[in-house]
Structures are given as C-alpha cells and as structure tokens.
Amino acid sequence: MGDALAIIRYTLTSAFGRGLAAHRAGLMSGRSMLIPHTLGDGTACTIGRVAGLEGVVMPAALARYDCRNNRLARLALDTDGFAQAVDATARRLGAERIGVVVGTSTSGIAATEAAYRAPVFQGRGALPVDFPYRETHNVFSCGDFVRRYLGVKGPALVVSTACSSSAKAFATGARLIASGACRAVVVGGVDSLCDTTLYGFHALNLLSRTYPRPFDVDRDGIAIGEAAGFALLAPAGDLGESRGLRLVATGDSADAYHMTAPHPEARGACAALEATLTSAGWRPDTVDYVHLHGTGTAHNDAAEDLALIRTGLGAVPASSTKGAIGHTLGAAGMCGVVLTAEAMAAGFLPGTVATRSPDPRFRSRLLLSGEPGVIRRALVNTFGFGGSNCCLALEWRP
C-alpha cells in the first residue's frame, strides 16, 4: 500500500446504540449490551440486537430493498452526518469517481427465512413469485442499496469472506483508489441477525450459553451481534485532511486450512499481521494497541495469541470488544476500526468485557479493564472461517 489514506468520516450502529457518541460512551463504560435469547429448541444464548430496526421505513423508490440488513444500513448511513459528507464529496469530486465496497456475510437472508414461513409459501423450492430476491437476499443487495441511496456512481461491489469481510472491504477500497478507478470509496460493513446464522453456529457448538469471554480460561463460545458501519476513504491531500484517522496499511492472507478452524500454528494470522507491519513500515514495538478478533472460541483465541507472540506483538496492549456487542461477523472489521478510532480520540485503552480469568496458557498482554492511554498506532485483526484473514493498520494524527 502506498501513502496512507484518510478516513474522512465514519459511523457505526450496533448494540451500543446509534452513532459515535454512543459507541465512545459504551466503550468507556465497560458494559455488555448483549441480551438473553432462546432458540426454538430451548437453547439459551445471548445476542447483540440493534434497537428500532423494525420502525425503519425505506424510501419509496427503494421499497424492494426492504429487509433487516438494508434497514440497518440505512440507519447507519443517516447517522453522524455520514450521508451528507458523501454528498458533499460527490459534489466536489464527481459522483462517478466515488466507489462503494461493502462487507457482509448474511446479506438479507432473514427476508428469505420470512418468505419461507409466509402463508403463501408454495412448498420446497417455491418462494413467492414476487419475492425480491435480487434486492434482499442476493449478496450484492446491500452494496446496490448503499450506492443507490447515496447516489454515487463509481464501481460498487460486495466482499463476502465471513468474519474478515469488512476488513477486506477496506483493502479493496484502497486498491480502487490506488488503481485510479476511484478518488474516494465508501467502505462498509453490514450484518444483521437471522436464524440461519444463530442455528448455524449452534450446530457447530460455538454459541456461548452465557456471555462470550474472549481469552478467558472458562470461555465457551461466541454471541452473535448485528451492526452496520461506514467509512469514507480518500487520499488525504485530495480533501485537505491533515488530521484524524489514517488507514496506513492492510494485510491479507488465505491459508484454507479448514472450513471453520484456524491453522493450529496460526500461519494465516501470522501472514496477515506480518504483511501489515511490513506494508506500514512499523516495528512491532511501535504499535500502541491491537483490537483483537477475540471471538471467545477455544481454537480462535489460541491461534490469535500464538500469532501475536510469533510476530513480536505479545507485549502490546490488546483487547476484544465482542463481549460488549457480540460477534458481528461480516461487520466485525468495521466495528474494530470505528471502536479503535473512538479509543484513539478519547485517549483510552479498552478492556475485554466479561473476561476475568485469562487462560494461563496465553502469553499476550490482554487488557481486562479499560484504562487511560494514548494510541497513535493500532492494528485491527479479523480472522475468518476458511482461513480468510485480514489485518488493518490505523494511525491517529492529532
């Protein structure tokens, strides 16, 4: 990656609430926003739900895009002045020079679940004839909705690589700018709650029965959350931005070791971290903070701890925020970026909510509680199913 890119405007909506102020307050409170949930078979778990989605009304011209995922996207786009910032940038650079890259894993699959349950359902393989599959369930649905809603006309695509989706969206957005295809890119991460995800992780025995406790000796799995976040990415010089958040480097890897388990020697995670540090030109001891992928599953936590040690990052303060808002899957990278940015702006090192007794086998420096601290350089980890990994290097310029 060449020169650092400015992240001109960003926003996030999750179980913490809507907007940056809610997320900064939630981060510093050390509270978990997860709520109890019961699956159809009686299994107890917790989820991170965004309040108020049921009341979101889609614009009439985009009514066919109405689904929980796109409602969540609209809620976020209308927050923190994000849509207005994109509009101002489009008038300055030209709408055709602004691209859209969105990461998601669920898309609008909840709409399909509802269609199968509807009284008009005709049986196996026969959804209602007027079911808007292209505008809801299709994986491109959210990217298409975002570009239409914002009125931008550059390249638009969706990245769907499980938990690394929105982190890889940043990498893809940076490449679109570097190639000259775009002068600015709206990068997003949107994933919403649906039964397919909840029952899928339940079938894998990965759902926590209580609260996720990443890196804890008694950790028992994850909690699924939903979130939508967006960032406007552009060369700093183009828009006169000399301060604030920068995307310095990205690092991808794909070890393909197993469909759901990370490589036991953390080869994929190490490759992503090493590529990021090399691209950024950073030594490990110059990094101030690592936002962990930190899911709370036995294999992922062990692999991430090993990766930090092997890449020289074991002494760097690190924490996971999944005990607070849940694992937002395809939006996890975006959540990591925005929560880290808010921690940088507040001069605060976040703790790992709900974790109390770190696994004694782990050697990395896990923060249990939040504390004051300056973060200038940070890494955001996302390590997905299938060995799809991505790490982002962020810098804060006060």
Side-chain angles (χ1 to χ4, degrees):
M1 190 169 158
D3 295 336
L5 295 170
I7 301 179
I8 298 165
R9 189 66 66 98
Y10 49 88
T11 184
L12 184 64
T13 293
S14 76
F16 267 149
R18 188 178 176 190
L20 298 181
H23 285 83
R24 186 182 295 196
L27 200 62
M28 297 183 75
S29 73
R31 290 184 293 119
S32 175
M33 302 303 291
L34 302 178
I35 58 175
H37 183 73
T38 304
L39 301 181
D41 64 357
T43 300
C45 61
T46 52
I47 57 173
R49 181 184 293 277
V50 172
L53 280 182
E54 292 74 14
V56 175
V57 178
M58 302 296 274
L62 298 173
R64 285 183 62 82
Y65 290 80
D66 190 9
C67 64
R68 189 173 184 87
N69 217 50
N70 290 336
R71 289 186 182 197
L72 183 55
R74 180 182 183 181
L75 204 62
L77 291 169
D78 287 342
T79 303
D80 292 320
F82 188 83
Q84 292 88 338
V86 173
D87 182 62
T89 304
R91 282 187 272 112
R92 183 172 179 178
L93 302 180
E96 71 283 355
R97 300 305 310 277
I98 300 178
V100 170
V101 185
V102 176
T104 186
S105 68
T106 62
S107 194
I109 195 170
T112 304
E113 293 172 354
Y116 273 121
R117 293 175 179 137
V120 296
F121 176 55
Q122 299 299 309
R124 185 176 181 180
L127 285 165
V129 293
D130 59 346
F131 177 68
Y133 176 90
R134 177 183 177 277
E135 293 88 354
T136 57
H137 186 144
N138 186 292
V139 74
F140 184 59
S141 164
C142 191
D144 195 22
F145 168 73
V146 170
R147 70 169 177 170
R148 291 173 186 272
Y149 188 70
L150 294 175
V152 297
K153 299 178 180 177
L157 60 150
V158 166
V159 178
S160 189
T161 54
C163 310
S164 64
S165 299
S166 54
K168 285 181 177 282
F170 275 96
T172 302
R175 293 182 189 114
L176 285 173
I177 293 172
S179 71
C182 298
R183 288 186 66 187
V185 174
V186 175
V187 176
V190 187
D191 248 356
S192 50
L193 291 169
C194 61
D195 282 345
T196 302
T197 304
L198 288 168
Y199 282 93
F201 279 93
H202 177 43
L204 291 168
N205 290 317
L206 291 178
L207 282 186
S208 171
R209 298 296 190 267
T210 56
Y211 287 84
R213 288 163 288 178
F215 283 60
D216 196 289
V217 68
D218 293 322
R219 63 196 182 281
D220 67 342
I222 70 174
I224 301 295
E226 60 186 353
F230 294 93
L232 181 57
L233 198 62
D238 276 13
L239 297 170
E241 297 287 334
S242 59
R243 301 167 56 187
L245 187 63
R246 294 287 185 277
L247 176 66
V248 179
T250 67
D252 298 81
S253 72
D255 59 64
Y257 168 75
H258 188 270
M259 286 182 67
T260 57
H263 193 286
E265 296 178 3
R267 291 180 183 174
C270 285
L273 283 164
E274 288 167 350
T276 306
L277 289 170
T278 299
S279 180
W282 292 355
R283 298 191 321 270
D285 63 356
T286 66
V287 177
D288 300 312
Y289 171 70
V290 179
H291 185 278
L292 299 168
H293 190 53
T295 58
T297 61
H299 292 308
N300 184 85
D301 287 357
E304 189 163 20
D305 177 72
L306 186 58
L308 294 177
I309 298 300
R310 289 189 171 179
T311 53
L313 292 160
V316 178
S319 62
S320 167
T321 54
K322 290 183 172 58
I325 61 172
H327 188 351
T328 59
L329 305 176
M334 180 60 69
C335 290
V337 167
V338 175
L339 291 172
T340 299
E342 286 305 291
M344 288 171 149
F348 182 75
L349 292 163
T352 305
V353 174
T355 297
R356 291 294 173 264
S357 302
D359 192 322
R361 293 172 296 179
F362 296 163
R363 293 174 288 166
S364 52
R365 185 182 170 189
L366 183 72
L367 295 170
L368 295 183
S369 302
E371 59 187 64
V374 175
I375 307 174
R376 292 285 180 266
R377 291 178 168 180
L379 299 174
V380 175
N381 289 344
T382 55
F383 303 137
F385 276 178
S388 178
N389 308 295
C390 188
C391 182
L392 305 176
L394 304 177
E395 189 169 60
W396 184 262
R397 298 185 182 177

